Amino acid sequence: MHTAFFLLLGGALARFLLRHPGEARTPWIIALSVVLAALYVLGPALGPGRGARPTPRRITWLALVVAVWVVLVVLAPSFAWCAVPLFYTGLRTLPARAALVLIGVLTVFVVAAQLRLAGNFDPNLLLAPPTVAALATAVFVHMERQAERQRALIDDLRRTRRELAATERREGTLAERQRLSMEIHDTLAQSLSSQQMLLQAADRLWDADPGRARAHVRTAESVTERGLVEARRFVHDLAPADLAGGGLDEALRTLAARESAAGLAVRFHAEGAPAPLPDRVESALLRIAQGALANVREHADATAAAITLTHLGDQVVLDIADNGRGFTPEPPREGGVRGHGLPAIRARTRQLGGTLTIESAPGEGTVLSVAIPLEAS
């Protein structure tokens, strides 16, 4: 639009000089054209246009531009068509109603100038300028509405992205809290629970059977040592300490040997061709086995338990069976997963895209089976 203004201004000046050379008004026309061009160039330096409240300086500038243009049109009607760029300048500078009034005034001068150039009355000259003004205004209003809708969409997109980022941060925080809760339950809490049971047993046997009592104390000391190793590993990288020295098979075999104490015999058996597993699968299955054996030790009143790890190529299956008192499994409840016992096992299995099956009945023991698809892990 700026380019169009200067082209129209230059064209009008060239037309006047070609048709009216050497007239007395020629110096005035040239001077006013230069002044109008200089004023128009100063516009952008006076502050923002559309979308901001017009400042007194900008209104004064627009009034000077219109005034110089009016004088030029009175002296030389060929400058009338410079009004079209001025329509947009008024629309971008003034409020809507004031801009429409300005466009109406400019259109009147354009009509008068065209009738002067024609020398006689022509209906087309009376109708064409208002039509052009109406079209220019309609195009500008449509563009402004489109721009406003686009700005609103961009603002909505930015707000949505901020809300999504905040939601993802909250979900990540909650997931990490749940994971840490399960890690603490499966390591430090179980270690402390074992120590408590062993020390209570030692206290009961201290007078009657000092040898067995001291054995319980030594076992509690060993459990404390492993708990300390777990705590240090937990602080370091939250990985199970038992996995540091070998694979999952070796870690489960060590777990079975360690849990075979205080009246509970635990054995481990592996089936299938062993294959490397992702770290998070190994860690989760070891934690599940630890949690399941903790439940057996504390609640099942069992004398024997078995851990079976089966490699099936496309999935790995962990089974923990015991000959304890059994129970009636309840369907899982949505929500309320706090990282303790069966809810923790169920949460770990779900995180890996696996399935958890519990088969039990009062007096018939329990079999807990976790199947993890390796593609999903």
Side-chain angles (χ1 to χ4, degrees):
M1 194 57 60
H2 296 328
T3 301
F5 174 80
F6 287 108
L7 287 175
L8 291 172
L9 181 62
L13 179 59
R15 181 180 187 276
F16 176 82
L17 294 177
L18 290 174
R19 297 196 176 190
H20 308 280
E23 293 189 6
R25 56 179 176 166
T26 299
W28 290 101
I29 296 296
I30 297 174
L32 289 172
S33 298
V34 173
V35 170
L36 181 59
L39 285 173
Y40 195 87
V41 169
L42 289 176
L46 297 178
R50 190 71 174 178
R53 188 179 182 87
T55 61
R57 288 194 306 170
R58 191 164 179 83
I59 294 177
T60 301
W61 166 80
L62 180 60
L64 289 174
V65 169
V66 172
V68 174
W69 174 81
V70 167
V71 174
L72 272 174
V73 171
V74 170
L75 294 177
S78 57
F79 286 88
W81 287 110
C82 293
V84 175
L86 294 182
F87 290 165
Y88 287 98
T89 302
L91 287 168
R92 292 184 61 83
T93 302
L94 300 174
R97 292 184 179 179
L100 293 177
V101 171
L102 175 62
I103 290 172
V105 173
L106 297 177
T107 304
V108 169
F109 276 91
V110 172
V111 170
Q114 295 303 308
L115 291 175
R116 279 180 57 191
L117 288 174
N120 51 22
F121 180 77
D122 186 345
N124 287 331
L125 298 179
L126 185 63
L127 297 176
T131 302
V132 172
L135 287 173
T137 303
V139 169
F140 179 85
V141 171
H142 176 72
M143 291 171 60
E144 283 294 299
R145 289 177 178 175
Q146 289 290 99
E148 185 63 31
R149 281 195 290 267
Q150 186 178 23
R151 284 192 292 270
L153 288 174
I154 292 174
D155 291 341
D156 289 341
L157 177 61
R158 289 174 176 170
R159 183 170 58 254
T160 302
R161 290 178 64 182
R162 288 195 297 269
E163 292 174 355
L164 179 61
T167 300
E168 290 177 346
R169 284 194 296 270
R170 287 195 298 270
E171 291 179 352
T173 300
L174 293 175
E176 184 66 10
R177 286 178 179 175
Q178 179 180 333
R179 187 176 73 87
L180 292 177
S181 175
M182 292 188 296
E183 291 287 344
I184 293 173
H185 171 265
D186 292 340
T187 55
L188 303 182
Q190 290 181 9
S191 176
L192 292 173
S193 177
S194 298
Q195 294 173 43
Q196 182 184 31
M197 294 177 60
L198 290 167
L199 292 175
Q200 288 174 347
D203 183 62
R204 289 193 300 268
L205 298 172
W206 194 263
D207 294 327
D209 192 346
R212 289 183 61 190
R214 290 189 181 91
H216 286 319
V217 172
R218 287 193 294 270
T219 304
E221 181 183 5
S222 176
V223 172
T224 303
E225 182 180 358
R226 289 194 300 271
L228 182 59
V229 173
E230 284 281 4
R232 289 170 176 169
R233 173 71 66 174
F234 182 79
V235 172
H236 183 260
D237 59 2
L238 299 180
D242 290 337
L243 290 174
L248 179 60
D249 290 33
E250 186 62 29
L252 291 176
R253 187 173 287 105
T254 302
L255 175 65
R258 188 168 63 235
E259 293 294 333
S260 297
L264 178 65
V266 183
R267 61 182 179 85
F268 169 75
H269 177 65
E271 295 184 356
L277 298 175
D279 291 343
R280 67 191 191 105
V281 172
E282 290 189 339
S283 177
L285 290 177
L286 178 58
R287 295 305 189 205
I288 289 172
Q290 290 173 337
L293 288 179
N295 287 342
V296 171
R297 185 176 59 250
E298 296 177 15
H299 306 296
D301 195 20
T303 59
I307 304 173
T308 303
L309 182 67
T310 306
H311 298 272
L312 298 177
D314 60 342
Q315 66 176 347
V316 60
V317 180
L318 175 67
D319 298 310
I320 297 96
D322 68 75
N323 64 349
R325 67 181 64 179
F327 66 101
T328 301
E330 296 181 357
R333 290 173 292 182
E334 294 297 327
V337 176
R338 300 178 58 84
H340 302 288
L342 287 178
I345 295 174
R346 188 172 290 112
R348 290 183 186 278
T349 304
R350 185 169 55 249
Q351 289 172 358
L352 294 174
T355 57
L356 170 65
T357 304
I358 301 175
E359 298 178 3
S360 183
E364 297 184 4
T366 302
V367 177
L368 182 148
S369 179
V370 175
I372 304 298
L374 297 182
E375 292 81 4
S377 62

